[in-house]
Amino acid sequence: MLLANEEELSVVAMHRIIERAGAHRISESACKELAQVLEGIGVDIGKEALEFAVHAGRNTVRAKDVKIATRKVLNP
């Protein structure tokens, strides 16, 4: 279980993602903000994926559930 201020996605991972986008200088606060945004989106996708799995009569969330949920969350 995560503590109140603990993040699931690391600052280092967010730094690498922003670097891949072409940035040369990246603040720690930018990395933390990206982590928060991506975690929020991830939780939303996870909830939708779980709904699809349950609707299909399964307890296991599969890749296809995540793919469908991603389309629903990112393209409302």
Side-chain angles (χ1 to χ4, degrees):
M1 179 146 195
L2 293 176
L3 300 175
N5 290 334
E6 219 175 323
E7 293 178 356
E8 199 68 31
L9 301 173
S10 73
V11 170
V12 173
M14 298 304 99
H15 193 275
R16 284 193 304 260
I17 288 171
I18 297 171
E19 276 184 333
R20 280 190 218 150
H24 298 289
R25 292 176 48 97
I26 306 154
S27 70
E28 185 174 339
S29 63
C31 294
K32 288 180 179 181
E33 184 63 26
L34 181 59
Q36 269 190 315
V37 169
L38 292 180
E39 285 178 32
I41 293 169
V43 168
D44 290 346
I45 291 170
K47 287 178 183 177
E48 288 292 332
L50 176 59
E51 285 184 27
F52 288 123
V54 169
H55 180 74
R58 292 183 272 106
N59 292 324
T60 303
V61 175
R62 295 185 179 164
K64 65 183 178 181
D65 301 318
V66 174
K67 288 177 185 177
I68 295 167
T70 300
R71 284 195 299 266
K72 183 176 179 184
V73 169
L74 297 182
N75 301 311

